[in-house]
PDB file of all heavy atoms in Angstrom:
ATOM      1  N   GLY G   1       0.828  -1.198  -0.015  1.00 97.00           N
ATOM      2  CA  GLY G   1      -0.049   0.057   0.038  1.00 97.00           C
ATOM      3  C   GLY G   1       0.883   1.228  -0.015  1.00 97.00           C
ATOM      4  O   GLY G   1       1.955   1.275   0.644  1.00 97.00           O
ATOM      5  N   VAL G   2       0.523   2.290  -0.661  1.00 98.00           N
ATOM      6  CA  VAL G   2       1.246   3.526  -0.858  1.00 98.00           C
ATOM      7  C   VAL G   2       0.334   4.657  -0.448  1.00 98.00           C
ATOM      8  O   VAL G   2      -0.762   4.877  -0.817  1.00 98.00           O
ATOM      9  CB  VAL G   2       1.675   3.671  -2.333  1.00 98.00           C
ATOM     10  CG1 VAL G   2       2.611   4.870  -2.412  1.00 98.00           C
ATOM     11  CG2 VAL G   2       2.385   2.445  -2.848  1.00 98.00           C
ATOM     12  N   VAL G   3       1.049   5.527   0.419  1.00 98.00           N
ATOM     13  CA  VAL G   3       0.291   6.744   0.910  1.00 98.00           C
ATOM     14  C   VAL G   3       1.090   7.956   0.681  1.00 98.00           C
ATOM     15  O   VAL G   3       2.352   8.020   1.105  1.00 98.00           O
ATOM     16  CB  VAL G   3      -0.037   6.602   2.460  1.00 98.00           C
ATOM     17  CG1 VAL G   3      -0.746   7.795   2.967  1.00 98.00           C
ATOM     18  CG2 VAL G   3      -0.854   5.335   2.761  1.00 98.00           C
ATOM     19  N   PRO G   4       0.609   8.993  -0.009  1.00 97.00           N
ATOM     20  CA  PRO G   4       1.281  10.180  -0.170  1.00 97.00           C
ATOM     21  C   PRO G   4       1.014  11.161   0.955  1.00 97.00           C
ATOM     22  O   PRO G   4      -0.065  11.183   1.538  1.00 97.00           O
ATOM     23  CB  PRO G   4       0.720  10.752  -1.466  1.00 97.00           C
ATOM     24  CG  PRO G   4      -0.739  10.303  -1.467  1.00 97.00           C
ATOM     25  CD  PRO G   4      -0.673   8.957  -0.665  1.00 97.00           C
ATOM     26  N   SER G   5       2.016  11.995   1.276  1.00 95.00           N
ATOM     27  CA  SER G   5       1.881  13.093   2.299  1.00 95.00           C
ATOM     28  C   SER G   5       2.876  14.131   1.942  1.00 95.00           C
ATOM     29  O   SER G   5       4.048  13.896   1.701  1.00 95.00           O
ATOM     30  CB  SER G   5       2.082  12.542   3.634  1.00 95.00           C
ATOM     31  OG  SER G   5       3.319  12.002   3.789  1.00 95.00           O
ATOM     32  N   PRO G   6       2.348  15.479   2.026  1.00 94.00           N
ATOM     33  CA  PRO G   6       3.284  16.547   1.846  1.00 94.00           C
ATOM     34  C   PRO G   6       4.210  16.716   3.000  1.00 94.00           C
ATOM     35  O   PRO G   6       3.773  16.716   4.169  1.00 94.00           O
ATOM     36  CB  PRO G   6       2.356  17.765   1.663  1.00 94.00           C
ATOM     37  CG  PRO G   6       1.085  17.343   2.423  1.00 94.00           C
ATOM     38  CD  PRO G   6       0.954  15.820   2.230  1.00 94.00           C
ATOM     39  N   ILE G   7       5.517  16.865   2.769  1.00 93.00           N
ATOM     40  CA  ILE G   7       6.467  16.927   3.863  1.00 93.00           C
ATOM     41  C   ILE G   7       7.145  18.300   3.932  1.00 93.00           C
ATOM     42  O   ILE G   7       7.822  18.661   4.921  1.00 93.00           O
ATOM     43  CB  ILE G   7       7.477  15.838   3.892  1.00 93.00           C
ATOM     44  CG1 ILE G   7       8.309  15.905   2.619  1.00 93.00           C
ATOM     45  CG2 ILE G   7       6.844  14.501   4.097  1.00 93.00           C
ATOM     46  CD1 ILE G   7       9.552  15.019   2.603  1.00 93.00           C
ATOM     47  N   ALA G   8       7.057  19.064   2.773  1.00 90.00           N
ATOM     48  CA  ALA G   8       7.700  20.363   2.717  1.00 90.00           C
ATOM     49  C   ALA G   8       7.036  21.108   1.556  1.00 90.00           C
ATOM     50  O   ALA G   8       6.281  20.408   0.743  1.00 90.00           O
ATOM     51  CB  ALA G   8       9.210  20.282   2.526  1.00 90.00           C
ATOM     52  N   ASP G   9       7.278  22.370   1.377  1.00 90.00           N
ATOM     53  CA  ASP G   9       6.707  23.132   0.267  1.00 90.00           C
ATOM     54  C   ASP G   9       7.194  22.446  -1.044  1.00 90.00           C
ATOM     55  O   ASP G   9       8.429  22.445  -1.321  1.00 90.00           O
ATOM     56  CB  ASP G   9       7.077  24.584   0.346  1.00 90.00           C
ATOM     57  CG  ASP G   9       6.369  25.391  -0.628  1.00 90.00           C
ATOM     58  OD1 ASP G   9       5.238  25.014  -1.039  1.00 90.00           O
ATOM     59  OD2 ASP G   9       6.934  26.423  -1.088  1.00 90.00           O
ATOM     60  N   GLY G  10       6.325  21.952  -1.876  1.00 91.00           N
ATOM     61  CA  GLY G  10       6.707  21.414  -3.096  1.00 91.00           C
ATOM     62  C   GLY G  10       7.235  20.045  -3.121  1.00 91.00           C
ATOM     63  O   GLY G  10       7.734  19.493  -4.160  1.00 91.00           O
ATOM     64  N   VAL G  11       7.150  19.318  -1.960  1.00 95.00           N
ATOM     65  CA  VAL G  11       7.658  17.992  -1.870  1.00 95.00           C
ATOM     66  C   VAL G  11       6.596  17.084  -1.338  1.00 95.00           C
ATOM     67  O   VAL G  11       5.955  17.318  -0.368  1.00 95.00           O
ATOM     68  CB  VAL G  11       8.833  17.862  -0.861  1.00 95.00           C
ATOM     69  CG1 VAL G  11       9.343  16.505  -0.780  1.00 95.00           C
ATOM     70  CG2 VAL G  11       9.992  18.850  -1.343  1.00 95.00           C
ATOM     71  N   LEU G  12       6.349  16.001  -2.060  1.00 96.00           N
ATOM     72  CA  LEU G  12       5.377  14.957  -1.742  1.00 96.00           C
ATOM     73  C   LEU G  12       6.072  13.616  -1.476  1.00 96.00           C
ATOM     74  O   LEU G  12       6.854  13.166  -2.338  1.00 96.00           O
ATOM     75  CB  LEU G  12       4.345  14.813  -2.906  1.00 96.00           C
ATOM     76  CG  LEU G  12       3.040  13.993  -2.571  1.00 96.00           C
ATOM     77  CD1 LEU G  12       2.281  14.682  -1.508  1.00 96.00           C
ATOM     78  CD2 LEU G  12       2.204  13.851  -3.817  1.00 96.00           C
ATOM     79  N   ARG G  13       5.892  13.044  -0.319  1.00 97.00           N
ATOM     80  CA  ARG G  13       6.507  11.846   0.035  1.00 97.00           C
ATOM     81  C   ARG G  13       5.587  10.589  -0.109  1.00 97.00           C
ATOM     82  O   ARG G  13       4.374  10.716   0.406  1.00 97.00           O
ATOM     83  CB  ARG G  13       7.131  11.830   1.410  1.00 97.00           C
ATOM     84  CG  ARG G  13       7.616  10.441   1.878  1.00 97.00           C
ATOM     85  CD  ARG G  13       8.525  10.589   3.033  1.00 97.00           C
ATOM     86  NE  ARG G  13       9.696  11.348   2.745  1.00 97.00           N
ATOM     87  CZ  ARG G  13      10.655  11.779   3.614  1.00 97.00           C
ATOM     88  NH1 ARG G  13      10.474  11.524   4.909  1.00 97.00           N
ATOM     89  NH2 ARG G  13      11.712  12.406   3.159  1.00 97.00           N
ATOM     90  N   TRP G  14       5.955   9.604  -0.811  1.00 98.00           N
ATOM     91  CA  TRP G  14       5.193   8.344  -1.015  1.00 98.00           C
ATOM     92  C   TRP G  14       5.773   7.277  -0.057  1.00 98.00           C
ATOM     93  O   TRP G  14       6.907   6.863  -0.299  1.00 98.00           O
ATOM     94  CB  TRP G  14       5.187   7.952  -2.425  1.00 98.00           C
ATOM     95  CG  TRP G  14       4.566   8.865  -3.336  1.00 98.00           C
ATOM     96  CD1 TRP G  14       5.231  10.039  -3.858  1.00 98.00           C
ATOM     97  CD2 TRP G  14       3.235   9.054  -3.923  1.00 98.00           C
ATOM     98  NE1 TRP G  14       4.341  10.716  -4.630  1.00 98.00           N
ATOM     99  CE2 TRP G  14       3.113  10.180  -4.630  1.00 98.00           C
ATOM    100  CE3 TRP G  14       2.174   8.092  -3.714  1.00 98.00           C
ATOM    101  CZ2 TRP G  14       1.948  10.487  -5.351  1.00 98.00           C
ATOM    102  CZ3 TRP G  14       0.959   8.404  -4.394  1.00 98.00           C
ATOM    103  CH2 TRP G  14       0.935   9.613  -5.171  1.00 98.00           C
ATOM    104  N   THR G  15       5.003   6.879   0.935  1.00 98.00           N
ATOM    105  CA  THR G  15       5.521   5.830   1.867  1.00 98.00           C
ATOM    106  C   THR G  15       4.860   4.515   1.563  1.00 98.00           C
ATOM    107  O   THR G  15       3.630   4.471   1.390  1.00 98.00           O
ATOM    108  CB  THR G  15       5.162   6.230   3.364  1.00 98.00           C
ATOM    109  OG1 THR G  15       5.657   7.546   3.649  1.00 98.00           O
ATOM    110  CG2 THR G  15       5.725   5.219   4.309  1.00 98.00           C
ATOM    111  N   VAL G  16       5.625   3.489   1.428  1.00 98.00           N
ATOM    112  CA  VAL G  16       5.237   2.191   0.997  1.00 98.00           C
ATOM    113  C   VAL G  16       5.106   1.268   2.214  1.00 98.00           C
ATOM    114  O   VAL G  16       6.015   1.202   3.045  1.00 98.00           O
ATOM    115  CB  VAL G  16       6.230   1.579  -0.030  1.00 98.00           C
ATOM    116  CG1 VAL G  16       5.747   0.237  -0.477  1.00 98.00           C
ATOM    117  CG2 VAL G  16       6.432   2.508  -1.198  1.00 98.00           C
ATOM    118  N   HIS G  17       3.947   0.621   2.337  1.00 98.00           N
ATOM    119  CA  HIS G  17       3.641  -0.256   3.490  1.00 98.00           C
ATOM    120  C   HIS G  17       3.434  -1.664   2.922  1.00 98.00           C
ATOM    121  O   HIS G  17       2.917  -1.907   1.908  1.00 98.00           O
ATOM    122  CB  HIS G  17       2.383   0.197   4.171  1.00 98.00           C
ATOM    123  CG  HIS G  17       2.405   1.633   4.693  1.00 98.00           C
ATOM    124  ND1 HIS G  17       2.645   1.959   5.981  1.00 98.00           N
ATOM    125  CD2 HIS G  17       2.257   2.795   4.030  1.00 98.00           C
ATOM    126  CE1 HIS G  17       2.664   3.288   6.152  1.00 98.00           C
ATOM    127  NE2 HIS G  17       2.441   3.769   4.886  1.00 98.00           N
ATOM    128  N   THR G  18       3.822  -2.629   3.743  1.00 96.00           N
ATOM    129  CA  THR G  18       3.443  -4.048   3.568  1.00 96.00           C
ATOM    130  C   THR G  18       2.085  -4.207   4.049  1.00 96.00           C
ATOM    131  O   THR G  18       1.664  -3.823   5.279  1.00 96.00           O
ATOM    132  CB  THR G  18       4.360  -4.951   4.322  1.00 96.00           C
ATOM    133  OG1 THR G  18       5.696  -4.776   3.816  1.00 96.00           O
ATOM    134  CG2 THR G  18       3.976  -6.425   3.977  1.00 96.00           C
ATOM    135  N   VAL G  19       1.172  -4.860   3.211  1.00 95.00           N
ATOM    136  CA  VAL G  19      -0.154  -5.242   3.650  1.00 95.00           C
ATOM    137  C   VAL G  19      -0.396  -6.690   3.767  1.00 95.00           C
ATOM    138  O   VAL G  19      -0.221  -7.393   2.801  1.00 95.00           O
ATOM    139  CB  VAL G  19      -1.262  -4.628   2.599  1.00 95.00           C
ATOM    140  CG1 VAL G  19      -2.628  -4.963   2.973  1.00 95.00           C
ATOM    141  CG2 VAL G  19      -1.002  -3.096   2.383  1.00 95.00           C
ATOM    142  N   PRO G  20      -0.582  -7.197   4.975  1.00 88.00           N
ATOM    143  CA  PRO G  20      -0.666  -8.614   5.228  1.00 88.00           C
ATOM    144  C   PRO G  20      -1.937  -9.156   4.534  1.00 88.00           C
ATOM    145  O   PRO G  20      -2.978  -8.602   4.384  1.00 88.00           O
ATOM    146  CB  PRO G  20      -0.773  -8.781   6.694  1.00 88.00           C
ATOM    147  CG  PRO G  20      -1.305  -7.429   7.222  1.00 88.00           C
ATOM    148  CD  PRO G  20      -0.780  -6.396   6.261  1.00 88.00           C
ATOM    149  N   ALA G  21      -1.771 -10.443   3.963  1.00 83.00           N
ATOM    150  CA  ALA G  21      -2.932 -11.146   3.415  1.00 83.00           C
ATOM    151  C   ALA G  21      -3.746 -11.709   4.555  1.00 83.00           C
ATOM    152  O   ALA G  21      -3.291 -11.925   5.678  1.00 83.00           O
ATOM    153  CB  ALA G  21      -2.392 -12.262   2.482  1.00 83.00           C
ATOM    154  N   PRO G  22      -5.039 -12.015   4.267  1.00 84.00           N
ATOM    155  CA  PRO G  22      -5.709 -11.768   2.992  1.00 84.00           C
ATOM    156  C   PRO G  22      -6.277 -10.372   2.932  1.00 84.00           C
ATOM    157  O   PRO G  22      -6.635  -9.800   3.937  1.00 84.00           O
ATOM    158  CB  PRO G  22      -6.839 -12.768   2.997  1.00 84.00           C
ATOM    159  CG  PRO G  22      -7.217 -12.911   4.492  1.00 84.00           C
ATOM    160  CD  PRO G  22      -5.881 -12.790   5.173  1.00 84.00           C
ATOM    161  N   VAL G  23      -6.348  -9.822   1.766  1.00 88.00           N
ATOM    162  CA  VAL G  23      -6.909  -8.455   1.498  1.00 88.00           C
ATOM    163  C   VAL G  23      -8.292  -8.651   0.954  1.00 88.00           C
ATOM    164  O   VAL G  23      -8.515  -9.415  -0.040  1.00 88.00           O
ATOM    165  CB  VAL G  23      -6.021  -7.673   0.465  1.00 88.00           C
ATOM    166  CG1 VAL G  23      -6.681  -6.363   0.184  1.00 88.00           C
ATOM    167  CG2 VAL G  23      -4.685  -7.481   1.051  1.00 88.00           C
ATOM    168  N   PRO G  24      -9.267  -8.122   1.648  1.00 86.00           N
ATOM    169  CA  PRO G  24     -10.641  -8.172   1.169  1.00 86.00           C
ATOM    170  C   PRO G  24     -10.880  -7.632  -0.225  1.00 86.00           C
ATOM    171  O   PRO G  24     -10.126  -6.656  -0.524  1.00 86.00           O
ATOM    172  CB  PRO G  24     -11.517  -7.432   2.203  1.00 86.00           C
ATOM    173  CG  PRO G  24     -10.559  -6.462   2.838  1.00 86.00           C
ATOM    174  CD  PRO G  24      -9.244  -7.147   2.818  1.00 86.00           C
ATOM    175  N   PRO G  25     -11.783  -8.202  -1.042  1.00 87.00           N
ATOM    176  CA  PRO G  25     -12.010  -7.719  -2.309  1.00 87.00           C
ATOM    177  C   PRO G  25     -12.537  -6.297  -2.392  1.00 87.00           C
ATOM    178  O   PRO G  25     -13.107  -5.861  -1.417  1.00 87.00           O
ATOM    179  CB  PRO G  25     -13.031  -8.665  -2.969  1.00 87.00           C
ATOM    180  CG  PRO G  25     -13.752  -9.262  -1.743  1.00 87.00           C
ATOM    181  CD  PRO G  25     -12.654  -9.361  -0.713  1.00 87.00           C
ATOM    182  N   ALA G  26     -12.272  -5.597  -3.417  1.00 87.00           N
ATOM    183  CA  ALA G  26     -12.753  -4.183  -3.547  1.00 87.00           C
ATOM    184  C   ALA G  26     -14.188  -4.157  -3.656  1.00 87.00           C
ATOM    185  O   ALA G  26     -14.808  -5.058  -4.267  1.00 87.00           O
ATOM    186  CB  ALA G  26     -12.066  -3.529  -4.696  1.00 87.00           C
ATOM    187  N   GLU G  27     -14.848  -3.142  -3.092  1.00 88.00           N
ATOM    188  CA  GLU G  27     -16.317  -2.921  -3.216  1.00 88.00           C
ATOM    189  C   GLU G  27     -16.515  -2.470  -4.659  1.00 88.00           C
ATOM    190  O   GLU G  27     -15.845  -1.505  -5.152  1.00 88.00           O
ATOM    191  CB  GLU G  27     -16.741  -1.869  -2.279  1.00 88.00           C
ATOM    192  CG  GLU G  27     -18.275  -1.486  -2.417  1.00 88.00           C
ATOM    193  CD  GLU G  27     -18.650  -0.207  -1.705  1.00 88.00           C
ATOM    194  OE1 GLU G  27     -17.872   0.717  -1.673  1.00 88.00           O
ATOM    195  OE2 GLU G  27     -19.686  -0.259  -1.129  1.00 88.00           O
ATOM    196  N   TYR G  28     -17.508  -3.085  -5.317  1.00 91.00           N
ATOM    197  CA  TYR G  28     -17.795  -2.771  -6.693  1.00 91.00           C
ATOM    198  C   TYR G  28     -19.052  -1.878  -6.742  1.00 91.00           C
ATOM    199  O   TYR G  28     -20.091  -2.248  -6.268  1.00 91.00           O
ATOM    200  CB  TYR G  28     -17.975  -3.922  -7.596  1.00 91.00           C
ATOM    201  CG  TYR G  28     -18.412  -3.587  -8.977  1.00 91.00           C
ATOM    202  CD1 TYR G  28     -17.666  -2.863  -9.871  1.00 91.00           C
ATOM    203  CD2 TYR G  28     -19.782  -3.883  -9.414  1.00 91.00           C
ATOM    204  CE1 TYR G  28     -18.064  -2.545 -11.031  1.00 91.00           C
ATOM    205  CE2 TYR G  28     -20.186  -3.550 -10.721  1.00 91.00           C
ATOM    206  CZ  TYR G  28     -19.402  -2.865 -11.551  1.00 91.00           C
ATOM    207  OH  TYR G  28     -19.750  -2.490 -12.855  1.00 91.00           O
ATOM    208  N   VAL G  29     -18.838  -0.656  -7.271  1.00 93.00           N
ATOM    209  CA  VAL G  29     -20.035   0.347  -7.409  1.00 93.00           C
ATOM    210  C   VAL G  29     -20.055   0.664  -8.912  1.00 93.00           C
ATOM    211  O   VAL G  29     -19.052   1.290  -9.405  1.00 93.00           O
ATOM    212  CB  VAL G  29     -19.827   1.576  -6.626  1.00 93.00           C
ATOM    213  CG1 VAL G  29     -21.014   2.517  -6.830  1.00 93.00           C
ATOM    214  CG2 VAL G  29     -19.711   1.233  -5.107  1.00 93.00           C
ATOM    215  N   PRO G  30     -21.009   0.256  -9.700  1.00 94.00           N
ATOM    216  CA  PRO G  30     -21.162   0.666 -11.086  1.00 94.00           C
ATOM    217  C   PRO G  30     -20.908   2.144 -11.228  1.00 94.00           C
ATOM    218  O   PRO G  30     -21.510   2.895 -10.456  1.00 94.00           O
ATOM    219  CB  PRO G  30     -22.543   0.141 -11.499  1.00 94.00           C
ATOM    220  CG  PRO G  30     -22.858  -0.964 -10.499  1.00 94.00           C
ATOM    221  CD  PRO G  30     -22.210  -0.516  -9.221  1.00 94.00           C
ATOM    222  N   LEU G  31     -20.271   2.523 -12.251  1.00 95.00           N
ATOM    223  CA  LEU G  31     -19.963   4.012 -12.435  1.00 95.00           C
ATOM    224  C   LEU G  31     -21.246   4.732 -12.654  1.00 95.00           C
ATOM    225  O   LEU G  31     -21.421   5.870 -12.171  1.00 95.00           O
ATOM    226  CB  LEU G  31     -19.036   4.155 -13.540  1.00 95.00           C
ATOM    227  CG  LEU G  31     -18.488   5.620 -13.828  1.00 95.00           C
ATOM    228  CD1 LEU G  31     -17.894   6.163 -12.505  1.00 95.00           C
ATOM    229  CD2 LEU G  31     -17.437   5.619 -14.957  1.00 95.00           C
ATOM    230  N   ALA G  32     -22.172   4.134 -13.516  1.00 94.00           N
ATOM    231  CA  ALA G  32     -23.463   4.826 -13.671  1.00 94.00           C
ATOM    232  C   ALA G  32     -24.181   5.044 -12.313  1.00 94.00           C
ATOM    233  O   ALA G  32     -24.805   6.167 -12.134  1.00 94.00           O
ATOM    234  CB  ALA G  32     -24.299   4.030 -14.624  1.00 94.00           C
ATOM    235  N   GLU G  33     -24.195   4.041 -11.474  1.00 95.00           N
ATOM    236  CA  GLU G  33     -24.807   4.200 -10.204  1.00 95.00           C
ATOM    237  C   GLU G  33     -24.227   5.229  -9.380  1.00 95.00           C
ATOM    238  O   GLU G  33     -24.861   6.106  -8.664  1.00 95.00           O
ATOM    239  CB  GLU G  33     -24.804   2.883  -9.482  1.00 95.00           C
ATOM    240  CG  GLU G  33     -25.386   2.873  -8.076  1.00 95.00           C
ATOM    241  CD  GLU G  33     -25.247   1.506  -7.360  1.00 95.00           C
ATOM    242  OE1 GLU G  33     -25.524   0.518  -8.079  1.00 95.00           O
ATOM    243  OE2 GLU G  33     -24.937   1.572  -6.202  1.00 95.00           O
ATOM    244  N   ALA G  34     -22.863   5.358  -9.352  1.00 94.00           N
ATOM    245  CA  ALA G  34     -22.131   6.354  -8.569  1.00 94.00           C
ATOM    246  C   ALA G  34     -22.488   7.779  -9.092  1.00 94.00           C
ATOM    247  O   ALA G  34     -22.634   8.724  -8.347  1.00 94.00           O
ATOM    248  CB  ALA G  34     -20.639   6.140  -8.609  1.00 94.00           C
ATOM    249  N   GLU G  35     -22.546   7.895 -10.442  1.00 93.00           N
ATOM    250  CA  GLU G  35     -22.774   9.227 -11.025  1.00 93.00           C
ATOM    251  C   GLU G  35     -24.206   9.642 -10.655  1.00 93.00           C
ATOM    252  O   GLU G  35     -24.516  10.748 -10.345  1.00 93.00           O
ATOM    253  CB  GLU G  35     -22.639   9.119 -12.531  1.00 93.00           C
ATOM    254  CG  GLU G  35     -22.777  10.474 -13.225  1.00 93.00           C
ATOM    255  CD  GLU G  35     -22.602  10.349 -14.758  1.00 93.00           C
ATOM    256  OE1 GLU G  35     -22.732   9.280 -15.292  1.00 93.00           O
ATOM    257  OE2 GLU G  35     -22.343  11.430 -15.372  1.00 93.00           O
ATOM    258  N   HIS G  36     -25.160   8.687 -10.781  1.00 93.00           N
ATOM    259  CA  HIS G  36     -26.578   9.021 -10.483  1.00 93.00           C
ATOM    260  C   HIS G  36     -26.698   9.464  -9.012  1.00 93.00           C
ATOM    261  O   HIS G  36     -27.369  10.416  -8.687  1.00 93.00           O
ATOM    262  CB  HIS G  36     -27.461   7.802 -10.759  1.00 93.00           C
ATOM    263  CG  HIS G  36     -28.877   8.047 -10.465  1.00 93.00           C
ATOM    264  ND1 HIS G  36     -29.418   7.760  -9.226  1.00 93.00           N
ATOM    265  CD2 HIS G  36     -29.910   8.501 -11.172  1.00 93.00           C
ATOM    266  CE1 HIS G  36     -30.699   8.062  -9.180  1.00 93.00           C
ATOM    267  NE2 HIS G  36     -30.997   8.496 -10.347  1.00 93.00           N
ATOM    268  N   GLU G  37     -26.057   8.722  -8.136  1.00 91.00           N
ATOM    269  CA  GLU G  37     -26.098   9.051  -6.637  1.00 91.00           C
ATOM    270  C   GLU G  37     -25.457  10.444  -6.334  1.00 91.00           C
ATOM    271  O   GLU G  37     -26.014  11.191  -5.484  1.00 91.00           O
ATOM    272  CB  GLU G  37     -25.367   7.981  -5.840  1.00 91.00           C
ATOM    273  CG  GLU G  37     -25.379   8.208  -4.411  1.00 91.00           C
ATOM    274  CD  GLU G  37     -26.826   8.155  -3.793  1.00 91.00           C
ATOM    275  OE1 GLU G  37     -27.748   7.660  -4.372  1.00 91.00           O
ATOM    276  OE2 GLU G  37     -26.984   8.547  -2.620  1.00 91.00           O
ATOM    277  N   LEU G  38     -24.397  10.765  -7.046  1.00 89.00           N
ATOM    278  CA  LEU G  38     -23.768  12.041  -6.816  1.00 89.00           C
ATOM    279  C   LEU G  38     -24.752  13.137  -7.173  1.00 89.00           C
ATOM    280  O   LEU G  38     -24.897  14.120  -6.496  1.00 89.00           O
ATOM    281  CB  LEU G  38     -22.467  12.138  -7.673  1.00 89.00           C
ATOM    282  CG  LEU G  38     -21.714  13.423  -7.475  1.00 89.00           C
ATOM    283  CD1 LEU G  38     -21.226  13.685  -6.051  1.00 89.00           C
ATOM    284  CD2 LEU G  38     -20.453  13.446  -8.450  1.00 89.00           C
ATOM    285  N   ARG G  39     -25.402  13.015  -8.384  1.00 88.00           N
ATOM    286  CA  ARG G  39     -26.343  14.055  -8.818  1.00 88.00           C
ATOM    287  C   ARG G  39     -27.542  14.152  -7.849  1.00 88.00           C
ATOM    288  O   ARG G  39     -28.016  15.204  -7.575  1.00 88.00           O
ATOM    289  CB  ARG G  39     -26.723  13.728 -10.260  1.00 88.00           C
ATOM    290  CG  ARG G  39     -25.688  13.945 -11.266  1.00 88.00           C
ATOM    291  CD  ARG G  39     -26.138  13.648 -12.681  1.00 88.00           C
ATOM    292  NE  ARG G  39     -25.176  13.837 -13.653  1.00 88.00           N
ATOM    293  CZ  ARG G  39     -25.307  13.623 -14.955  1.00 88.00           C
ATOM    294  NH1 ARG G  39     -26.418  12.914 -15.391  1.00 88.00           N
ATOM    295  NH2 ARG G  39     -24.369  13.844 -15.804  1.00 88.00           N
ATOM    296  N   ALA G  40     -28.036  12.919  -7.484  1.00 88.00           N
ATOM    297  CA  ALA G  40     -29.119  12.942  -6.469  1.00 88.00           C
ATOM    298  C   ALA G  40     -28.798  13.566  -5.116  1.00 88.00           C
ATOM    299  O   ALA G  40     -29.637  14.256  -4.629  1.00 88.00           O
ATOM    300  CB  ALA G  40     -29.575  11.485  -6.331  1.00 88.00           C
ATOM    301  N   GLN G  41     -27.617  13.407  -4.694  1.00 82.00           N
ATOM    302  CA  GLN G  41     -27.245  14.014  -3.377  1.00 82.00           C
ATOM    303  C   GLN G  41     -27.129  15.456  -3.465  1.00 82.00           C
ATOM    304  O   GLN G  41     -27.347  16.236  -2.582  1.00 82.00           O
ATOM    305  CB  GLN G  41     -25.884  13.299  -2.931  1.00 82.00           C
ATOM    306  CG  GLN G  41     -26.079  11.965  -2.354  1.00 82.00           C
ATOM    307  CD  GLN G  41     -27.064  11.971  -1.114  1.00 82.00           C
ATOM    308  OE1 GLN G  41     -27.217  12.918  -0.431  1.00 82.00           O
ATOM    309  NE2 GLN G  41     -27.667  10.788  -0.934  1.00 82.00           N
ATOM    310  N   VAL G  42     -26.636  15.979  -4.612  1.00 79.00           N
ATOM    311  CA  VAL G  42     -26.561  17.428  -4.841  1.00 79.00           C
ATOM    312  C   VAL G  42     -27.994  18.044  -4.723  1.00 79.00           C
ATOM    313  O   VAL G  42     -28.193  19.045  -4.083  1.00 79.00           O
ATOM    314  CB  VAL G  42     -25.978  17.769  -6.255  1.00 79.00           C
ATOM    315  CG1 VAL G  42     -26.094  19.213  -6.554  1.00 79.00           C
ATOM    316  CG2 VAL G  42     -24.477  17.376  -6.277  1.00 79.00           C
ATOM    317  N   ARG G  43     -28.962  17.401  -5.412  1.00 79.00           N
ATOM    318  CA  ARG G  43     -30.328  17.905  -5.331  1.00 79.00           C
ATOM    319  C   ARG G  43     -30.845  17.796  -3.973  1.00 79.00           C
ATOM    320  O   ARG G  43     -31.528  18.795  -3.427  1.00 79.00           O
ATOM    321  CB  ARG G  43     -31.205  17.092  -6.289  1.00 79.00           C
ATOM    322  CG  ARG G  43     -30.836  17.349  -7.815  1.00 79.00           C
ATOM    323  CD  ARG G  43     -31.938  16.781  -8.681  1.00 79.00           C
ATOM    324  NE  ARG G  43     -32.053  15.298  -8.604  1.00 79.00           N
ATOM    325  CZ  ARG G  43     -31.430  14.430  -9.302  1.00 79.00           C
ATOM    326  NH1 ARG G  43     -30.589  14.846 -10.285  1.00 79.00           N
ATOM    327  NH2 ARG G  43     -31.569  13.153  -9.092  1.00 79.00           N
TER     328      ARG G  43
END
């Protein structure tokens, strides 16, 4: 796993971490559904 963080003006540090197994599968959200929900929440 990689995490960015600003450490100084104009400098971004990427810190690499070991992630132990097992890693749960990613949540799948259809893009059309996410877009619709975003618009609905604005309204």
